[in-house]
């Protein structure tokens, strides 16, 4: 992994020769630079690769075990001496077959390995995974930190039933939102400690993709984050939430699945973490049936979507966007659907306007193989029926943010994930959900050609510029005006550029979607396929 990041960093550097100057890197290194850092809880010792210092596995809250299970996070206990910060902390409990330890509230810090004469802006990353999987350890912040002269923080937070269970009597506060409160605790940790690593606690940009992006919107809507967030990046994430009634209903189902039909709270507390994880498949749910933050409670008084629409959120500069084929990959259950079944799925979503949708998205527009899957993927993306992701509702969400914060910048990502090419004849997911992630956070399995490296370099610098100055204007790259100027960026291979907001909307047939009243899809795609009679291959 380290060798790959070193190679990628060098390749990106070829495209960003003046990056350190443009990013404001200090000309001299007079400040004290040490791999031993004193945090509020104790000293930690990091490691260096020569270009980047890393401090891994730092506890930002007490282990949520025993009596702290299903409780708001508590401060981490102090430790004596110097704690090694050279390996990642455990991931929070998630899917079957993974290690199950509730002691998982750790974060990681990456900074340029050079003394600085200024406090550096901070990017705090919240991973995705449907609030049921993922880990901060999957994201090495070295490339972003080195290229942009910033500090990068990646975090864990409680997932699934450990992080989002809501049952009456479970705790005096926080029920349904323990994972969200973990994120708040990480922000508070940064507020109190990041200056000690050379960061600036007054310049923290919180960023996330998918569930991480949902989290960013929720955090902006929470009264607990006032003064903790100075900028925000939402990648393929929106503002969905559950009501208290919805999250409590899911909690009751989980208790039943876990065999706790009497005195559910005491019964669940008596179970081991492994037992709870083994009973949580239903709670984790699917693409559209898993956990979400719960609104209507003190830490999230109003639904995030309502908060944005009414201006009751933290109005910081915002970078927001999605991918061109955002939900196409999830339409594969419709690969063998007949024209009649495709039409029936449109009726399920759009009622008496289904025929109008079918005229704009006829099957004849799509490949001969897996035709209905491509068509459904286009419909679902452009209409934003997956929690408002992608398409026209997403563009409208960005416009609503822009109404209250002029520094709002919209993008669409048009490239494939940098992974090995799909085999001939297989379903092409295109520029799918999270395809942009590996351009900012390289992985050991990604494959980059010259064009992909160039796009990665562009994005790394755009994101770094936004973290540094609240606008994604990077020297030597295409200018990126905000939505107030009615422009949106299209990030693509061969050179990114902006288009008018009108052209951006027209590409997604927003005239049609804005004329239709419809709800988000309320069942997972495979359930919808079965409901309309599709027989899977």
């Amino acid at each position: 992994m380290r060798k790959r990041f070193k190679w990628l960093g060098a390749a990106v550097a070829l495209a960003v020769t003046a990056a350190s100057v443009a990013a404001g890197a200090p000309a001299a290194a007079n400040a004290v630079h040490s791999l031993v850092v004193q945090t509020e809880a104790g000293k930690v010792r990091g490691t260096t690769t020569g270009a980047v210092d890393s401090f891994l596995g730092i506890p930002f809250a007490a282990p949520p075990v025993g009596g702290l299970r299903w409780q708001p996070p508590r401060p981490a206990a102090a430790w004596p001496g110097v704690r090694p910060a050279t390996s990642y902390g455990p991931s929070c409990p998630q899917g079957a077959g993974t290690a199950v330890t509730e002691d998982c509230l750790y974060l990681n810090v990456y900074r340029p390995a050079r003394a600085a004469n200024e406090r550096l802006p901070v990017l705090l990353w919240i991973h995705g995974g449907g609030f049921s999987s993922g880990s901060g350890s999957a994201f090495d912040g070295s490339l972003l930190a080195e290229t942009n002269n910033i500090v990068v923080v990646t975090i864990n937070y409680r997932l699934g039933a450990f992080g989002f269970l809501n049952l009456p009597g479970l705790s005096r506060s926080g029920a349904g939102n323990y994972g969200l409160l973990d994120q708040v605790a990480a922000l508070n940790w940064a507020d109190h400690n990041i200056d000690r690593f050379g960061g600036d606690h007054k310049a923290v940009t919180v960023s996330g993709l998918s569930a991480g992006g949902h989290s960013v919107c929720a955090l902006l809507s929470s009264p607990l984050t006032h003064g903790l967030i100075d900028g925000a990046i939402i990648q393929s994430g929106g503002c969905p939430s559950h009501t208290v009634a919805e999250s409590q209903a899911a909690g009751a189902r989980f208790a039943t699945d876990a065999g706790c039909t009497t005195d559910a709270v005491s019964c669940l507390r008596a179970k081991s973490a492994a037992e709870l994880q083994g009973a949580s498949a239903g709670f984790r749910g699917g693409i559209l049936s898993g956990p979400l933050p719960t609104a209507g409670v003190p830490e999230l008084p109003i639904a995030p979507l309502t908060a944005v629409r009414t201006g009751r959120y933290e109005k910081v500069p915002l970078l927001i966007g999605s991918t061109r084929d955002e939900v196409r990959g999830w339409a594969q259950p419709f690969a063998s659907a007949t024209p009649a079944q495709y039409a029936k799925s449109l009726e399920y979503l759009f009622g008496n306007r289904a025929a109008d949708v079918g005229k704009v998205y006829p099957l004849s527009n799509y490949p001969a193989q897996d035709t209905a899957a491509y068509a459904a993927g286009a419909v679902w993306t452009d209409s934003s029926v997956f929690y408002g992701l992608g398409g026209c509702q997403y563009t409208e969400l960005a416009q609503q943010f822009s109404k209250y914060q002029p520094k709002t910048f919209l993008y669409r990502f048009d490239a494939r994930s940098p992974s090995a090419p799909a085999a001939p004849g297989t379903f092409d997911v295109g520029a799918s959900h999270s395809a942009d992630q590996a351009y900012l956070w390289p992985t050991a399995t990604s494959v980059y050609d010259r064009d992909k490296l160039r796009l990665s370099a562009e994005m790394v610098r755009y994101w770094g510029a936004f973290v540094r100055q609240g606008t994604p204007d990077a020297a030597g790259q295409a200018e990126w005006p905000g939505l107030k100027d009615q422009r949106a960026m299209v990030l693509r291979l061969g050179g990114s550029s902006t288009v008018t907001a009108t052209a951006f909307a027209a590409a997604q047939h927003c005239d049609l979607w804005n004329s239709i009243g419809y709800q988000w899809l309320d069942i997972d795609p495979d359930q919808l396929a079965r409901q309309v009679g599709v027989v899977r291959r």
Side-chain angles (χ1 to χ4, degrees):
M1 287 287 285
R2 290 289 183 185
K3 289 181 180 179
R4 175 172 287 275
F5 287 126
K6 182 177 180 180
W7 171 74
L8 279 170
V12 169
L14 292 176
V16 292
T17 305
S20 60
V21 175
N30 299 322
V32 176
H33 179 78
S34 173
L35 287 173
V36 176
V37 176
Q38 175 75 57
T39 73
E40 282 191 330
K43 293 180 180 179
V44 295
R45 183 189 301 275
T47 58
T48 184
T49 61
V52 175
D53 299 334
S54 60
F55 301 82
L56 310 178
I58 302 174
F60 66 87
V65 300
L68 296 186
R69 177 192 282 172
W70 295 315
Q71 295 292 332
R74 307 284 178 84
W79 57 82
V82 180
R83 179 188 179 105
T86 56
S87 59
Y88 294 114
S91 300
C92 289
Q94 44 197 283
T98 60
V100 180
T101 173
E102 294 175 84
D103 179 4
C104 64
L105 297 183
Y106 298 91
L107 56 74
N108 315 293
V109 178
Y110 305 85
R111 71 180 185 191
R114 54 179 176 266
N117 293 329
E118 61 176 344
R119 294 292 182 190
L120 302 181
V122 179
L123 174 68
L124 188 146
W125 172 256
I126 303 174
H127 69 77
F131 296 108
S132 295
S133 65
S135 172
S137 63
F139 300 92
D140 188 316
S142 300
L143 179 60
L144 283 160
E146 178 186 0
T147 303
N148 296 301
N149 203 40
I150 62 175
V151 175
V152 177
V153 180
T154 68
I155 70 170
N156 291 351
Y157 56 96
R158 280 173 283 180
L159 302 166
F162 296 92
F164 296 92
L165 185 66
N166 190 1
L167 280 174
L170 195 61
S171 63
R172 295 180 63 182
S173 63
N177 285 322
Y178 306 112
L180 186 69
L181 290 175
D182 293 342
Q183 297 167 7
V184 175
L187 284 166
N188 274 302
W189 183 93
D191 191 54
H192 294 135
N193 292 279
I194 204 63
D195 287 12
R196 305 164 191 245
F197 293 84
D200 185 352
H201 75 281
K202 296 181 179 180
V204 176
T205 295
V206 62
S207 175
L209 185 147
S210 194
H214 297 339
S215 298
V216 172
C217 188
L219 292 169
L220 292 175
S221 307
S222 172
L224 301 183
T225 63
H226 182 69
L228 299 177
I229 299 174
D230 304 285
I233 302 174
I234 299 176
Q235 297 175 226
S236 293
C239 300
S241 60
H242 283 321
T243 64
V244 171
E246 288 170 337
S247 63
Q248 287 187 348
R253 291 191 297 271
F254 170 72
T256 299
D257 291 344
C260 293
T261 56
T262 304
D263 192 5
V265 171
S266 297
C267 176
L268 290 171
R269 286 199 172 280
K271 290 186 177 292
S272 69
E275 288 174 316
L276 294 172
Q277 189 63 16
S280 66
F283 190 89
R284 292 195 302 270
I287 300 164
L288 297 173
S289 57
L292 292 171
T294 297
V297 293
E299 63 272 11
L300 201 58
I302 58 177
L305 193 59
T306 300
V308 173
R309 288 173 174 169
T310 58
R312 289 177 284 178
Y313 70 95
E314 196 78 352
K315 302 175 185 67
V316 298
L318 174 69
L319 180 63
I320 182 171
S322 59
T323 64
R324 184 193 60 210
D325 308 304
E326 185 71 52
V327 302
R328 183 196 287 177
W330 293 320
Q332 292 184 65
F334 277 79
S336 58
T338 65
Q341 290 164 344
Y342 171 64
K344 194 172 181 180
S345 74
L346 298 182
E347 291 171 6
Y348 180 90
L349 277 165
F350 309 113
N352 60 10
R353 295 297 302 274
D356 296 327
V357 174
K359 290 177 182 177
V360 178
Y361 298 85
L363 293 175
S364 58
N365 281 3
Y366 302 97
Q369 183 174 326
D370 305 325
T371 306
Y374 286 106
V379 168
W380 297 348
T381 294
D382 291 354
S383 62
S384 315
V385 291
F386 275 54
Y387 288 150
L389 295 182
C392 299
Q393 287 188 18
Y394 205 71
T395 301
E396 177 58 26
L397 176 67
Q399 294 283 5
Q400 289 165 346
F401 274 112
S402 180
K403 177 181 177 182
Y404 299 100
Q405 169 51 265
K407 287 187 175 182
T408 298
F409 303 88
L410 176 64
Y411 74 87
R412 189 183 73 229
F413 181 83
D414 278 16
R416 295 176 57 90
S417 175
S419 57
T426 58
F427 185 74
D428 180 6
V429 298
S432 60
H433 182 74
S434 80
D436 52 336
Q437 186 164 270
Y439 288 80
L440 293 166
W441 306 91
T443 68
T445 59
S446 298
V447 179
Y448 300 84
D449 59 21
R450 186 179 183 86
D451 285 342
K452 288 185 176 69
L453 281 172
R454 177 183 174 185
L455 179 56
S456 174
E458 289 177 351
M459 292 180 63
V460 166
R461 290 202 59 211
Y462 278 135
W463 263 240
F466 182 82
V467 171
R468 293 197 63 86
Q469 63 204 26
T471 64
D473 284 323
Q477 296 185 182
E479 186 179 359
W480 189 337
L483 267 178
K484 66 180 179 62
D485 298 312
Q486 295 299 302
R487 305 289 296 186
M489 175 63 73
V490 179
L491 298 164
R492 55 193 166 204
L493 302 177
S496 303
S497 61
T498 60
V499 297
T500 66
T502 299
F504 195 86
Q508 301 164 119
H509 303 288
C510 291
D511 285 348
L512 168 68
W513 299 117
N514 293 341
S515 72
I516 298 177
Y518 57 94
Q519 303 298 318
W520 291 345
L521 186 59
D522 57 357
I523 57 176
D524 288 323
D526 55 343
Q527 294 175 293
L528 178 59
R530 289 195 299 269
Q531 186 159 320
V532 301
V534 178
V535 176
R536 298 290 296 272
R537 293 173 185 162

